[in-house]
Amino acid sequence: MNKLLFYYLCIACCLASCSNKREEAKITNNNLVEIQKEEIHFPPSEVLQLKSYYLSSPIQTDSTHILVGYNYKEHALDCINLSNKSISQIPLQSDGPNSIMRLTGIFAYKKDSIWVSDDSESVFLINSEGSVKKRINVKNYLKDKEELIINTNHAMSTVRLYYNATHQSLLCTVKDRSVLPACFKVKEIFLDKDKETKTINLSSSIVEPDVSKGYANMSEPNVNFHDNYILYNYPIESHIYRINLTTRTSETYNADSDYTQNMAKKCKSKDYTEWQRHGFENPHFFDIMYLSHYGVYARLHMDAINFKEDENLDIVSRKRNFYLCFFDENFNKINEIKLPSKTINPYTGWNYTHTGVLFFIDPITNQDISEDLDVSIYYPVI
């Protein structure tokens, strides 16, 4: 660890002396790496009705920096090229035997090999023209009282779809209601139908074994994947959990924030207003993201804020403070920064790219005026 600390400090000192046009983010003392911010502007001529995408995926294997986002207004995939600042579109089939309903998940393996899931609990492989090349009905792999969970709802949880190219398999998260409290699993469904589906159990939170009682909308885990690992955490608390798909070994990491509470309080009642209040007046931890270019992990979370029933919820949500943590491959924290306030819509826009964490900028003061699409990418200098 001492060698790692010395290594990071040397890098940070060297880089600080170099000129760089990219903006330096606000950082705190005693951090091991510098965090910088790149801003990208898309002119109105390239914008296809949306200024942010709540559901997106970076293309995993191609050298081009493209983020594929779901355009729910046009039921299409928008390919957002972060290098040449252009946006192209892949229409999705809405009629016929291979029709695709509203999307719940995206995993863009290549531009001509994009996996998507929809409300029918099916997963589709589509090409760059939107033609369906393969369809897998996940319901056929579920047992009684098991339900598929693939969604991105930042008020609740983020559970991602994943394709493991090495295993030739899909990884899908399942909620099992046959036991109390309900438990969560990952199903590994192989494209080769002769291979038996594998099931990996996710452990409960080490600080709250039953998140279904008393935590309002934050009652399910965030689940993401990286190579041979399942990465998951719980919105109500700061620990990070990782499972090796091959060895089935499970690890838990302390990943506390230095700036916020690291555990949500329980909700006072089941009344809807109290559920809303609970969501605002507690911290919320989002899913774990892997930045392959640097070999580091990132996690976003937002702090609690006072809630008043007569306030505009959309405006209040944008006033919340967001914090971005970066971790090395052993989940040692190497930096934590506070993001600029009043610019991020917590219910729409961010995702990881190979080189950083991308945010769709949606400021309060400009939300109904600008037709532009602006993004900021935060990345470690390593």
Side-chain angles (χ1 to χ4, degrees):
M1 181 62 193
N2 290 334
K3 291 183 178 179
L4 178 65
L5 175 61
F6 177 75
Y7 171 74
Y8 282 139
L9 288 172
C10 289
I11 290 177
C13 292
C14 292
L15 289 171
S17 64
C18 300
S19 61
N20 199 313
K21 293 182 180 179
R22 294 179 175 179
E23 179 182 346
E24 183 175 339
K26 180 181 178 182
I27 62 173
T28 56
N29 295 327
N30 301 319
N31 290 302
L32 300 181
V33 299
E34 179 185 354
I35 305 301
Q36 291 190 345
K37 179 177 71 172
E38 178 184 6
E39 296 181 345
I40 302 176
H41 171 77
F42 292 82
S45 59
E46 290 294 331
V47 179
L48 302 176
Q49 296 196 47
L50 292 183
K51 291 167 52 182
S52 63
Y53 295 79
Y54 74 94
L55 188 59
S56 62
S57 167
I59 289 183
Q60 304 292 321
T61 58
D62 296 345
S63 58
T64 54
H65 297 289
I66 295 178
L67 187 73
V68 178
Y70 178 46
N71 189 326
Y72 66 91
K73 291 185 177 181
E74 299 190 355
H75 193 50
L77 296 178
D78 291 354
C79 299
I80 306 164
N81 192 312
L82 302 173
S83 298
N84 63 22
K85 302 176 185 178
S86 65
I87 304 176
S88 59
Q89 194 167 84
I90 301 173
L92 298 175
Q93 298 182 33
S94 55
D95 298 305
N98 287 320
S99 62
I100 299 175
M101 301 172 63
R102 187 181 179 93
L103 296 192
T104 58
I106 306 173
F107 183 82
Y109 180 58
K110 299 178 180 178
K111 191 173 181 181
D112 64 348
S113 299
I114 301 175
W115 293 94
V116 299
S117 58
D118 73 356
D119 284 333
S120 71
E121 295 190 305
S122 292
V123 177
F124 304 81
L125 176 63
I126 63 173
N127 64 14
S128 56
E129 297 178 351
S131 298
V132 174
K133 298 302 180 182
K134 186 181 291 291
R135 176 176 183 168
I136 296 175
N137 189 341
V138 179
K139 287 186 288 187
N140 294 336
Y141 298 88
L142 302 181
K143 296 180 180 180
D144 185 38
K145 295 188 178 181
E146 289 184 342
E147 60 186 57
L148 177 67
I149 307 175
I150 302 174
N151 64 57
T152 298
N153 185 329
H154 296 315
M156 300 171 66
S157 64
T158 301
V159 183
R160 299 187 187 270
L161 172 68
Y162 187 75
Y163 168 67
N164 188 311
T166 303
H167 293 192
Q168 293 283 291
S169 63
L170 291 169
L171 293 166
C172 303
T173 304
V174 170
K175 186 173 186 177
D176 184 356
R177 296 183 182 273
S178 67
V179 294
L180 290 176
C183 64
F184 299 92
K185 308 172 180 179
V186 168
K187 298 263 187 179
E188 184 171 19
I189 302 171
F190 295 93
L191 302 188
D192 182 350
K193 294 181 180 180
D194 292 332
K195 287 189 175 182
E196 185 177 353
T197 299
K198 293 182 179 180
T199 300
I200 303 97
N201 294 319
L202 304 184
S203 63
S204 60
S205 162
I206 64 171
V207 296
E208 178 52 78
D210 186 2
V211 296
S212 68
K213 292 183 178 180
Y215 293 98
N217 286 321
M218 296 187 286
S219 61
E220 296 177 348
N222 304 306
V223 185
N224 205 342
F225 305 90
H226 151 57
D227 288 346
N228 206 39
Y229 292 103
I230 302 171
L231 309 170
Y232 66 106
N233 64 331
Y234 290 87
I236 66 165
E237 53 104 347
S238 60
H239 287 85
I240 294 173
Y241 307 80
R242 181 169 67 175
I243 297 176
N244 186 305
L245 280 172
T246 302
T247 64
R248 302 293 182 94
T249 54
S250 179
E251 300 164 305
T252 302
Y253 301 91
N254 187 342
D256 282 356
S257 168
D258 294 328
Y259 303 102
T260 70
Q261 294 293 318
N262 288 289
M263 178 73 188
K265 298 176 182 178
K266 287 198 171 185
C267 188
K268 296 178 180 178
S269 76
K270 295 183 179 180
D271 178 76
Y272 179 71
T273 302
E274 287 299 324
W275 277 41
Q276 281 187 319
R277 183 184 301 278
H278 180 268
F280 280 99
E281 295 188 344
N282 283 280
H284 189 122
F285 294 88
F286 300 103
D287 66 313
I288 313 304
M289 301 170 281
Y290 183 72
L291 313 183
S292 59
H293 183 76
Y294 302 106
V296 302
Y297 295 95
R299 182 198 64 199
L300 181 72
H301 77 281
M302 59 183 174
D303 199 3
I305 190 172
N306 290 331
F307 171 75
K308 297 179 182 179
E309 293 181 31
D310 57 348
E311 287 187 288
N312 183 305
L313 298 183
D314 200 37
I315 293 177
V316 174
S317 65
R318 284 175 169 83
K319 290 181 178 179
R320 297 184 73 168
N321 291 326
F322 283 77
Y323 295 86
L324 181 61
C325 293
F326 291 90
F327 305 89
D328 66 17
E329 289 194 328
N330 296 313
F331 288 103
N332 299 301
K333 187 163 63 175
I334 55 178
N335 206 327
E336 179 176 7
I337 63 171
K338 178 183 176 183
L339 300 178
S341 60
K342 302 180 182 180
T343 59
I344 300 171
N345 184 337
Y347 303 123
T348 55
W350 62 82
N351 207 331
Y352 68 97
T353 69
H354 300 297
T355 57
V357 181
L358 179 148
F359 295 88
F360 294 98
I361 303 305
D362 193 9
I364 296 174
T365 56
N366 205 28
Q367 58 184 335
D368 296 322
I369 300 173
S370 175
E371 295 181 355
D372 300 349
L373 190 157
D374 295 295
V375 303
S376 294
I377 301 175
Y378 290 84
Y379 61 97
V381 181
I382 296 178

